[in-house]
Amino acid sequence: MEASQYNVVQRIFGNTQMILRIPVYQRNYDWNERNVKQLLSDLKEILRTSKQHFIGAIVYMVSQNNDAGMQDFLVIDGQQRLTTITLLFAALRDLCDQNDQQSLGILNAYLTNQYTSEEKYKIKLKPIKSDNVQYTALLNKNKNRIDENSHIYQNYAIAKNEFKKWLDEGYQINEIINALNRLQVVGISLTQGIDDPQTIFASLNSTGLALTNSDLIRNYLLMSDSNQEELFEDYWLPIEEDLRRGNDNRNMDAFFRQFMIMKYSSPISERKVYDAFISFCQKEHLTHKAALQELNDYVRIYNSFLHPEESDYNEQVKASLSDLKRISQTTCYPFLLRVFNDYKNDVIDEDTLTKVVHLITVYLIRRLVCDVPSNSLLGFFANFYSRTFRISKNKEKYYEVINKYLFSQQNRNEVPDDEKLEYALKHKRMYQDKNLCNLLMLDIENGDCKEKLNTSELTIEHIMPQTMSRVWRQHISDEDHDQYVHTLGNLSVTGYNSEMSNKSFDEKKKILEQNSKAVVLNKDVVDKDQWTIKDIKERADRLSKILMSKYSMTKVEDPDIVFELVDTISLDKSKEAKGRKPVSFTLEGSDYPVKSYKEITLKVLQILDQDDPDRLEKLVGLTWKGTFEDSNANNNLIICHKDDIAKKGEWHYGLVKDGIYVMVGGSSDNIMHVIKQLLDAYGIDEDNFSVSVRAEEE
């Protein structure tokens, strides 16, 4: 490795015969307006002061191109700056007066190898393929092939506009060229076969754009592979074509994170994605080609999540995916990647795929409507698939298993029940979540209609206005207005960009009749003479019934479906529970998942109390019958008030409700004995209870 400081234009572009090649493992040209304007600002300062200006380091490896008989500079780091400099040359060239042949000759010499007869070596800079199309079109002035949204063209245009201003200020082309000749770099030249470009590439990024996870992964998969050109063309380029739209790389980075969450069945932060990917490839002993093949399979699935309307799935699947996209519910993607992959591999049929995607979509919509916090969803969906299909035979009942697992969730991830959903549909300030509100309006209107409304045709409007005029205040109080103005019963849609504002109800009716295609939504509005709170409530009842039907979820009851291999232990065999991890318990035919024996006691009593709420207070003082094996217990009361708990024994008790505690501590055998006494106290036969523990390994 050799390093020296020099003028980048003279040393690199001043070569009369050379190729400046951007290898395929490099990221795309991504400098934005801010980056280019900073370089132009530095250049303007050079014009004023005539001083040298340092723009950072570039790393390259020089080899001899035997086909062309010229030097080949392989750029390891610095392509963003070098590419931008050539765009400055191109902008100056296109502003150059044809009479200024000297300046024109210098700029053409910087951009092209003028003495080669082979067209493919004519242009000095060779960006990666996706950028090279635009770069070549720009230099050849082929307007038909230029994409004006590309960074290549946009940055060229920025430079051209800025240079034109400078020329109008009185600067000359040759002065700007001289300023470019004062750009200094530290050039680090690597020796082929001795220096490791991959290590250097990963560590050098101090003056350019930060490397994204997709940049790093591309580098890992392509840089050190002897077939990097083939891997790029056959595998990496299709990934970019599917996920990279315009100049936006965010979908690529999002995919890699979702892919790794799927593979690890665990949440992974953005900053750990690259390391997780390397570990995954090494653990699975994947060649670069095998890793790229697998990525391509899942990218095609992921692309259907991003662009459902372009996918080949049936209309129901596309509709569900569109709903998930509209309400930005992406945490389920790692789970759905697995499901869609099973469909691709014929593990499930189209009907099963359709039902599963619909189930997940409705579950997430119900959560949003009911304002359930989403902070637990990432972890939930990360291990959903692995937990559901831990037992391989579960795939024989694919949809039923997923349904049962979903309905087995409690607390944060439980399915919001119909009562909660109906209440939220009627009372939630729906307008404050525009995406969700838009979805609900579409689902109400499009339910049975052959001619479907779409998002571009909708403007959500308030019937009772957000700001009330004197006419509205005559029959609606401020309190009622605040409570109902943003609720479903008061919202409708009009044609795109139609404004109802705070017009009178008669005026609003005319707009809805003339400018809205929403027949279902508006049928109980346009026939009214006045709009009252009573009308809002009645309309909310009607619309909520439509959505309740649309978002219904039917629980699968199948006792043969289990998510772990378990042994069942009854109360009369309580000693068999010792040292065994509980998975769930069964009480009167219903299953309840648990993580510990302490949790069982508390849940059992809370369930019993729900069925017989008057009995608990009478049971305060219930005393342990038998020998307590745990010597740390300082109290033998099973149910008591807090004042009755010995200080050292507090950890043995859990709060049931209203200051009443139940004994939850001790060995598994003791806890089973407590449960037996609780069942006796509530008059329930002990045969109606059992504990499922993780099966012992053979």
Side-chain angles (χ1 to χ4, degrees):
M1 182 192 307
E2 293 183 3
S4 58
Q5 183 169 334
Y6 49 71
N7 178 284
V8 63
V9 173
Q10 293 175 348
R11 181 71 169 266
I12 302 294
F13 298 101
N15 280 283
T16 55
Q17 295 287 87
M18 71 90 170
I19 299 293
L20 190 62
R21 190 185 308 278
I22 310 299
V24 294
Y25 53 76
Q26 289 272 26
R27 63 187 171 202
N28 297 82
Y29 176 66
D30 283 332
W31 260 25
N32 56 31
E33 181 177 354
R34 180 180 60 83
N35 302 121
V36 177
K37 285 190 172 180
Q38 180 59 56
L39 181 57
L40 288 168
S41 175
D42 295 338
L43 199 60
K44 189 70 174 288
E45 185 64 19
I46 296 173
L47 276 173
R48 294 192 189 100
T49 65
S50 297
K51 292 181 179 179
Q52 306 286 342
H53 182 78
F54 179 68
I55 61 170
I58 60 171
V59 183
Y60 56 89
M61 186 176 288
V62 184
S63 61
Q64 190 70 20
N65 189 310
N66 294 325
D67 291 338
M70 59 181 68
Q71 280 191 317
D72 197 319
F73 290 79
L74 191 69
V75 179
I76 309 300
D77 187 68
Q79 70 131 328
Q80 304 291 331
R81 280 158 287 163
L82 292 173
T83 302
T84 304
I85 288 171
T86 66
L87 295 178
L88 302 189
F89 295 156
L92 283 174
R93 179 201 66 178
D94 294 344
L95 288 170
C96 203
D97 191 311
Q98 292 301 310
N99 294 324
D100 188 358
Q101 287 298 310
Q102 183 178 8
S103 296
L104 202 56
I106 293 171
L107 292 167
N108 281 325
Y110 287 161
L111 290 167
T112 61
N113 291 309
Q114 297 176 303
Y115 303 112
T116 183
S117 58
E118 295 191 55
E119 192 63 33
K120 64 179 180 179
Y121 296 124
K122 202 74 175 174
I123 297 175
K124 285 184 175 180
L125 179 69
K126 300 292 181 187
I128 63 172
K129 184 173 182 179
S130 44
D131 289 328
N132 195 38
V133 173
Q134 291 305 308
Y135 186 76
T136 303
L138 179 68
L139 261 59
N140 290 333
K141 302 181 181 180
N142 187 346
K143 293 183 179 180
N144 293 331
R145 300 194 68 186
I146 291 176
D147 176 6
E148 294 189 1
N149 293 317
S150 69
H151 281 304
I152 293 284
Y153 179 80
Q154 287 180 345
N155 292 344
Y156 158 83
I158 290 168
K160 188 175 180 181
N161 289 337
E162 189 66 19
F163 286 151
K164 190 174 186 307
K165 292 177 186 176
W166 296 2
L167 295 177
D168 291 341
E169 292 172 10
Y171 290 105
Q172 302 297 315
I173 293 283
N174 67 307
E175 292 180 286
I176 301 175
I177 294 174
N178 289 335
L180 283 164
N181 275 302
R182 290 186 172 85
L183 293 176
Q184 297 284 307
V185 298
V186 169
I188 303 173
S189 176
L190 306 184
T191 304
Q192 204 164 17
I194 297 177
D195 298 314
D196 180 7
Q198 184 170 4
T199 302
I200 294 169
F201 176 81
S203 61
L204 278 173
N205 196 42
S206 58
T207 58
L209 291 174
L211 293 173
T212 64
N213 285 316
S214 52
D215 293 331
L216 292 167
I217 289 170
R218 173 167 59 181
N219 163 240
Y220 169 76
L221 292 173
L222 299 179
M223 187 178 223
S224 60
D225 201 290
S226 57
N227 296 319
Q228 58 183 235
E229 294 285 346
E230 177 186 337
L231 293 180
F232 176 79
E233 290 283 343
D234 294 345
Y235 299 105
W236 187 266
L237 195 55
I239 290 174
E240 284 196 355
E241 289 171 348
D242 274 344
L243 298 183
R244 194 173 195 263
R245 297 291 171 111
N247 298 318
D248 194 346
N249 276 330
R250 286 175 295 181
N251 286 337
M252 289 185 67
D253 289 316
F255 164 74
F256 283 114
R257 187 182 181 203
Q258 303 282 27
F259 179 80
M260 295 319 305
I261 291 172
M262 176 195 70
K263 285 298 181 182
Y264 279 88
S265 297
S266 177
I268 293 177
S269 65
E270 192 71 36
R271 62 186 178 83
K272 293 185 178 180
V273 169
Y274 175 64
D275 291 336
F277 182 82
I278 302 300
S279 298
F280 161 70
C281 291
Q282 293 172 346
K283 181 181 177 182
E284 299 295 324
H285 306 291
L286 294 177
T287 64
H288 293 167
K289 182 176 181 178
L292 283 162
Q293 285 174 327
E294 183 164 6
L295 286 172
N296 265 261
D297 289 340
Y298 282 102
V299 161
R300 282 190 283 273
I301 295 171
Y302 192 77
N303 189 44
S304 67
F305 301 168
L306 301 177
H307 310 286
E309 68 286 351
E310 299 174 9
S311 72
D312 296 327
Y313 299 107
N314 65 41
E315 292 304 314
Q316 296 98 313
V317 170
K318 288 198 280 191
S320 293
L321 292 176
S322 295
D323 287 349
L324 291 173
K325 180 182 177 183
R326 183 173 287 114
I327 56 178
S328 303
Q329 293 297 298
T330 61
T331 53
C332 64
Y333 285 173
F335 170 73
L336 291 182
L337 283 171
R338 291 280 195 192
V339 174
F340 276 76
N341 191 56
D342 282 343
Y343 172 69
K344 181 177 72 72
N345 293 322
D346 296 324
V347 176
I348 58 175
D349 59 17
E350 185 178 47
D351 181 59
T352 302
L353 174 70
T354 303
K355 290 196 296 183
V356 169
V357 180
H358 178 70
L359 178 74
I360 298 302
T361 304
V362 170
Y363 166 68
L364 290 169
I365 291 173
R366 288 173 77 117
R367 285 180 62 112
L368 274 179
V369 171
C370 295
D371 283 328
V372 180
S374 62
N375 54 357
S376 65
L377 281 177
L378 182 61
F380 172 65
F381 279 113
N383 64 23
F384 192 161
Y385 188 92
S386 60
R387 290 293 301 273
T388 306
F389 297 113
R390 182 174 291 171
I391 299 173
S392 58
K393 72 174 184 177
N394 278 354
K395 290 192 175 180
E396 297 170 8
K397 298 181 177 180
Y398 202 95
Y399 170 78
E400 292 76 11
V401 168
I402 290 172
N403 179 293
K404 183 172 180 179
Y405 185 77
L406 201 56
F407 274 97
S408 72
Q409 300 306 301
Q410 297 183 349
N411 301 324
R412 294 179 298 174
N413 295 321
E414 68 183 1
V415 176
D417 61 32
D418 287 350
E419 184 179 348
K420 291 177 183 175
L421 179 62
E422 186 174 16
Y423 182 86
L425 285 170
K426 292 179 181 179
H427 296 92
K428 177 183 169 78
R429 298 165 72 85
M430 211 66 73
Y431 184 72
Q432 293 179 340
D433 186 341
K434 301 292 196 307
N435 291 332
L436 176 62
C437 188
N438 189 294
L439 174 67
L440 300 182
M441 297 286 147
L442 284 172
D443 280 347
I444 290 170
E445 189 60 38
N446 290 339
D448 300 317
C449 297
K450 293 181 180 179
E451 185 179 349
K452 306 287 188 184
L453 288 182
N454 58 59
T455 307
S456 63
E457 297 173 324
L458 294 183
T459 299
I460 298 172
E461 296 282 3
H462 295 74
I463 303 170
M464 174 177 65
Q466 296 187 71
T467 304
M468 290 206 296
S469 64
R470 180 179 55 81
V471 175
W472 283 95
R473 289 181 184 277
Q474 289 175 359
H475 64 278
I476 295 177
S477 69
D478 288 343
E479 183 179 356
D480 283 341
H481 174 266
D482 291 343
Q483 184 175 353
Y484 291 101
V485 64
H486 295 310
T487 60
L488 184 65
N490 189 53
L491 299 175
S492 188
V493 295
T494 62
Y496 180 69
N497 210 26
S498 175
E499 181 61 57
M500 296 207 308
S501 188
N502 65 343
K503 292 180 172 65
S504 70
F505 181 62
D506 286 340
E507 291 176 296
K508 291 197 172 198
K509 273 204 313 180
K510 289 178 183 177
I511 293 174
L512 291 176
E513 289 172 325
Q514 298 170 4
N515 196 29
S516 176
K517 298 178 182 179
V519 177
V520 179
L521 277 165
N522 296 331
K523 72 176 186 179
D524 50 3
V525 179
V526 296
D527 63 348
K528 296 287 190 302
D529 295 324
Q530 190 179 38
W531 191 245
T532 66
I533 297 300
K534 179 175 177 290
D535 295 319
I536 292 174
K537 291 179 179 179
E538 289 176 351
R539 184 165 175 269
D541 285 340
R542 180 178 72 86
L543 299 183
S544 64
K545 284 183 174 62
I546 295 173
L547 292 174
M548 289 291 292
S549 175
K550 174 80 175 177
Y551 304 142
S552 65
M553 293 179 70
T554 303
K555 180 180 179 180
V556 168
E557 302 282 1
D558 188 340
D560 294 332
I561 294 175
V562 294
F563 304 111
E564 292 188 87
L565 293 174
V566 297
D567 294 327
T568 302
I569 300 173
S570 58
L571 284 172
D572 61 348
K573 296 181 180 179
S574 60
K575 292 190 181 297
E576 294 181 10
K578 186 175 182 179
R580 308 287 294 279
K581 181 174 177 56
V583 174
S584 64
F585 69 86
T586 302
L587 179 61
E588 296 186 308
S590 296
D591 296 326
Y592 303 90
V594 291
K595 296 180 180 179
S596 68
Y597 286 102
K598 286 185 176 183
E599 192 180 348
I600 296 176
T601 312
L602 193 57
K603 280 191 174 183
V604 165
L605 186 52
Q606 287 171 338
I607 293 166
L608 295 175
D609 180 62
Q610 286 176 1
D611 295 335
D612 189 355
D614 297 327
R615 185 172 301 207
L616 184 59
E617 184 67 42
K618 299 173 185 176
L619 293 176
V620 172
L622 182 66
T623 306
W624 169 272
K625 296 176 183 177
T627 304
F628 201 97
E629 296 177 0
D630 194 330
S631 60
N632 289 323
N634 295 303
N635 203 310
N636 62 356
L637 292 173
I638 290 179
I639 300 177
C640 60
H641 291 297
K642 185 171 183 179
D643 293 342
D644 298 322
I645 302 172
K647 188 174 181 181
K648 291 184 179 179
E650 280 194 30
W651 66 276
H652 279 290
Y653 290 84
L655 177 65
V656 184
K657 71 171 189 179
D658 300 334
I660 299 176
Y661 289 75
V662 64
M663 182 186 291
V664 296
S667 67
S668 58
D669 189 24
N670 286 332
I671 287 173
M672 297 280 271
H673 188 83
V674 168
I675 292 169
K676 182 176 181 179
Q677 284 192 234
L678 292 175
L679 295 178
D680 289 342
Y682 278 85
I684 296 174
D685 193 301
E686 65 181 60
D687 290 340
N688 287 318
F689 177 88
S690 63
V691 174
S692 295
V693 297
R694 190 169 291 168
E696 292 180 329
E697 295 180 358
E698 295 181 4

